[in-house]
Amino acid sequence: MKKSIRQARIEQLINQYPIGTQEELMEHLDEVGIQATQATISRDIREMQIVKAQDGHGHLRYTIFKAGNRSEEEHLRETINEVVTGLTRVEFVNILKTLPSNGNLLAAIFDDLNLPEVAGTLAGHDTIFIMSPNTEVAEKLHDEIAAEMNPDIIH
């Protein structure tokens, strides 16, 4: 099975069904006659920029991260404004608190932009650690993030 065909089918499935785990995705693929290992599915998820996000019913499900017609920077600014509830800088690390289930999505946006201010991210359910190369760069990034937020929630 060609990777492009498998990945196209994965996109169809996650848009059609509320799939929240790799096991569920593998079951759906099996039902349509596509055999894939967990390692292959995991690699596809990374390559396709699939993240978990909360749906309208409060359930976590896979979704494909796409910026649409907006620039990636615009998407970052809008997402910061919509989901970030707190910002703290400690030395060379910025810590962002997000609405529940939005940590991974926002971290994926930062990762995709390959900003020089971001050496790496670590995301959880509602918290993101953004590591910068040094304290000065982290302070600059902090100020840029803060400019997109409500000033009352910045520490």
Side-chain angles (χ1 to χ4, degrees), residues 68-123:
N69 293 331
R70 300 169 287 175
S71 75
E72 290 184 33
E73 290 84 7
E74 287 173 341
H75 189 229
L76 175 64
R77 285 192 296 273
E78 289 173 7
T79 305
I80 287 170
N81 184 272
E82 292 171 5
V83 306
V84 174
T85 61
L87 171 64
T88 305
R89 186 180 63 82
V90 180
E91 297 294 329
F92 62 92
V93 178
N94 279 289
I95 305 164
L96 281 73
K97 295 295 285 180
T98 70
L99 295 173
S101 302
N102 284 279
N104 285 320
L105 176 65
L106 185 55
I109 297 170
F110 273 105
D111 290 341
D112 288 342
L113 285 171
N114 293 316
L115 300 170
E117 297 91 347
V118 179
T121 62
L122 179 63

Side-chain angles (χ1 to χ4, degrees), residues 1 8 11 19 23 48 52 57 90-91 107 109 114 125 130 137 151 155:
M1 162 93 22
E11 182 172 0
I19 298 171
E23 292 78 23
M48 296 174 66
K52 285 189 179 181
H57 303 290
V90 180
E91 297 294 329
I109 297 170
N114 293 316
H125 177 69
I130 302 174
V137 173
H155 299 105

Side-chain angles (χ1 to χ4, degrees), residues 1-150:
M1 162 93 22
K2 281 187 153 186
K3 178 168 81 169
S4 60
I5 294 170
R6 185 183 62 248
Q7 288 185 351
R9 192 58 146 153
I10 289 171
E11 182 172 0
Q12 289 173 339
L13 289 169
I14 66 171
N15 287 331
Q16 187 174 2
Y17 300 103
I19 298 171
T21 66
Q22 289 183 11
E23 292 78 23
E24 290 175 31
L25 181 55
M26 286 174 63
E27 288 172 13
H28 283 281
L29 285 169
D30 192 45
E31 289 172 6
V32 296
I34 298 175
Q35 303 292 317
T37 65
Q38 187 276 330
T40 299
I41 298 297
S42 182
R43 202 169 22 258
D44 287 338
I45 286 171
R46 261 193 324 278
E47 288 177 12
M48 296 174 66
Q49 300 179 317
I50 295 174
V51 296
K52 285 189 179 181
Q54 202 166 19
D55 65 15
H57 303 290
H59 301 103
L60 284 180
R61 65 176 289 172
Y62 284 137
T63 185
I64 297 178
F65 165 70
K66 291 185 180 176
N69 293 331
R70 300 169 287 175
S71 75
E72 290 184 33
E73 290 84 7
E74 287 173 341
H75 189 229
L76 175 64
R77 285 192 296 273
E78 289 173 7
T79 305
I80 287 170
N81 184 272
E82 292 171 5
V83 306
V84 174
T85 61
L87 171 64
T88 305
R89 186 180 63 82
V90 180
E91 297 294 329
F92 62 92
V93 178
N94 279 289
I95 305 164
L96 281 73
K97 295 295 285 180
T98 70
L99 295 173
S101 302
N102 284 279
N104 285 320
L105 176 65
L106 185 55
I109 297 170
F110 273 105
D111 290 341
D112 288 342
L113 285 171
N114 293 316
L115 300 170
E117 297 91 347
V118 179
T121 62
L122 179 63
H125 177 69
D126 63 358
T127 305
I128 306 168
F129 286 13
I130 302 174
M131 282 67 68
S132 293
N134 59 52
T135 302
E136 293 78 23
V137 173
E139 186 172 358
K140 177 181 179 241
L141 181 62
H142 179 276
D143 294 344
E144 291 171 1
I145 295 169
E148 303 303 326
M149 296 174 49
N150 177 342

